[in-house]
Amino acid sequence: IVLTQSPGTLSLSPGERATLSCRASQSVSSRYLAWYQQQPGQAPRLLIFGASNRATGIPDRFSGSGSGTDFTLTINSLEPEDFAVYYCQQYGNSPVTFGQGTKLEIK
Amino acid sequence: QLQLQESGSRLVRPSQTLSLTCVVSGASISNGGYSWNWIRQPPGRGLEWIGYIYHSGNIYYSPSLKSRVAISVERSKNQFSLNLTSVTAADTAVYYCARGVTNPYNNNWYIDNWGQGTLVIVSS
C-alpha cells in the first residue's frame, strides 16, 4: 500500500488548527494506521495507533480519524513544540509502509 | 522504563558489512506481543523498515533488503543485532532500533518505543 501525505509542508501559527492528510492506495485493513511526530535530530514518537487511539502521554489536542483509504491527523491549538515532521504508517497490510511525511512549520 | 540503545560501526567502507547492536533495558525481548525492529532513515528522507525479530524468534525482512540483511538475538544479554552486507553510499542513514507492538495474525506492527538512532556513513 502506498501512503500519500498532504500537504508536503503546512505553514501555520501557534494557536491555529492543523489538519494533516494520509491517503492510501487501497483500503487499510481494520483501521490499522499510526501517526508519528519527529523533531529535528530525534527519533520519531508515536502519537496515534488504530487510526484514532492516542498513545500514552499524548495531549488530547492530537486526534486521529478516518477509515478505508482516507485518514486525518488533527492538532488543535498548535503549541510551539508541535512544529515538526509527521509520518503516517499502515500496518493492516503487508508489507508495512510509511508515508513520505508532512512538515508542519511556523508561519 | 523501556530504553533501547544502538551501538556499532559509524563509518563503513563500501562493499563491507554494517554491524549494529541494540541493547534493551526495562523489558525483556522475550516478552510476548512485541517485535524488535530495525528501521533506517537516510539524511533528509523518510523511514524505511529493514526487518524484525519476533519474541518467538521468527525473523522477517523487508523484501527490498532481504538478500543483504541478517538480524539475530542474544537473549542472555537482552540485545539484538543487525548485519547489512555489501553496503553502498545508498545505505548511509540513521539506523534506529525499535519495539513494535505486533499483531500475531498478520505479523504487522506499529512502533511504541524507539532508540535514539545512530548515523552510519558509508564512505571510502
Side-chain angles (χ1 to χ4, degrees):
Chain A
I1 294 180
V2 176
L3 298 179
T4 302
Q5 294 186 239
S6 61
T9 302
L10 183 58
S11 300
L12 293 170
S13 301
E16 292 191 295
R17 172 184 294 177
T19 302
L20 286 66
S21 172
C22 178
R23 179 162 291 177
S25 59
Q26 56 186 279
S27 183
V28 176
S29 175
S30 302
R31 301 179 76 233
Y32 284 161
L33 189 110
W35 289 93
Y36 303 89
Q37 176 195 68
Q38 187 175 33
Q39 300 286 1
Q42 296 185 18
R45 175 175 71 145
L46 176 67
L47 299 175
I48 301 287
F49 63 94
S52 59
N53 301 289
R54 272 189 303 277
T56 302
I58 301 303
D60 60 7
R61 65 179 181 273
F62 291 89
S63 63
S65 63
S67 63
T69 60
D70 290 300
F71 297 86
T72 300
L73 175 69
T74 301
I75 313 171
N76 288 312
S77 190
L78 285 165
E79 298 284 346
E81 62 268 25
D82 298 336
F83 293 91
V85 178
Y86 292 83
Y87 294 96
C88 60
Q89 176 223 337
Q90 69 81 23
Y91 54 102
N93 305 70
S94 297
V96 169
T97 49
F98 290 93
Q100 83 281 13
T102 288
K103 182 180 181 181
L104 177 57
E105 65 177 22
I106 299 178
K107 187 174 183 180
Chain B
Q1 181 181 355
L2 176 65
Q3 291 188 324
L4 302 97
Q5 180 65 58
E6 304 91 347
S7 64
S9 47
R10 306 292 180 93
L11 176 64
V12 183
R13 306 294 187 194
S15 80
Q16 300 299 304
T17 297
L18 179 159
S19 296
L20 295 172
T21 294
C22 180
V23 176
V24 179
S25 59
S28 170
I29 60 175
S30 298
N31 284 355
Y34 297 107
S35 59
W36 301 92
N37 292 258
W38 288 100
I39 294 168
R40 69 181 182 178
Q41 185 173 34
R45 298 181 63 184
L47 300 161
E48 179 183 22
W49 175 66
I50 299 170
Y52 75 66
I53 185 162
Y54 199 37
H55 70 92
S56 61
N58 291 343
I59 301 173
Y60 297 88
Y61 299 127
S62 166
S64 64
L65 295 169
K66 186 175 183 178
S67 64
R68 298 194 292 129
V69 175
I71 293 175
S72 59
V73 64
E74 194 162 356
R75 297 186 187 278
S76 63
K77 295 183 178 181
N78 214 40
Q79 64 185 39
F80 61 107
S81 297
L82 168 71
N83 277 351
L84 180 65
T85 63
S86 303
V87 297
T88 69
D91 295 309
T92 293
V94 175
Y95 285 76
Y96 295 101
C97 60
R99 186 177 79 170
V101 178
T102 304
N103 184 332
Y105 298 105
N106 66 6
N107 298 315
N108 290 339
W109 45 267
Y110 63 89
I111 300 296
D112 69 344
N113 279 275
W114 300 74
Q116 65 183 25
T118 187
L119 175 62
V120 178
I121 297 173
V122 178
S123 174
S124 56

